[in-house]
Amino acid sequence: NDTLPSVALSGTAATGAPLASAAVTVSCVQGSATTLTDGGGNYRVALNAALPCVIAVASGGTSLHSLAYAGGTFNTTPETELLLVYLAAQLGTNPAGLIGNFPRNTHFQQAMGSANTVLAAQSAVVANLQQR
């Protein structure tokens, strides 16, 4: 859809070690794209999209997710997976419900599209991990 703005996303998919040749799927409120990571787990994609977007990376039995509320760099790691779990709980759902319903749920879209909300969730996850 040419009426949607162009969005460039990039990042690294890793579980400590990079996820090389992993399938990357970017699903936005409107617009989607797929690509593969390189040998270092890096990905880059440009698409016409309405934000926010969920980034899903699959490699073997590993499945990781991240959120993109703007264009730029969004890594996909076990920590970003925890971020999604935390944000889903804050919104009264689970990760599958959040991912599956956000294209039609404006409440989810507003939360996932807010840098403040996502960064607050990220801080909460980091604090929780540091306590353990």
Side-chain angles (χ1 to χ4, degrees), residues 27-110:
S27 304
C28 305
V29 172
Q30 291 182 332
S32 63
T34 58
T35 190
L36 291 174
T37 60
D38 66 15
N42 303 299
Y43 58 89
R44 182 175 305 279
V45 66
L47 68 157
N48 290 57
L51 296 163
C53 305
V54 171
I55 302 165
V57 177
S59 176
T62 302
S63 177
L64 297 172
H65 299 87
S66 186
L67 299 176
Y69 50 78
T73 301
F74 293 89
N75 296 327
T76 308
T77 66
E79 289 77 14
T80 63
E81 188 71 24
L82 290 174
L83 168 86
L84 206 76
V85 170
Y86 179 89
L87 195 56
Q90 296 294 310
L91 294 168
T93 187
N94 59 34
L98 181 63
I99 293 166
N101 294 313
F102 94 93
R104 296 172 299 284
N105 185 314
T106 54
H107 182 61
F108 291 178
Q109 291 169 16
Q110 288 169 346

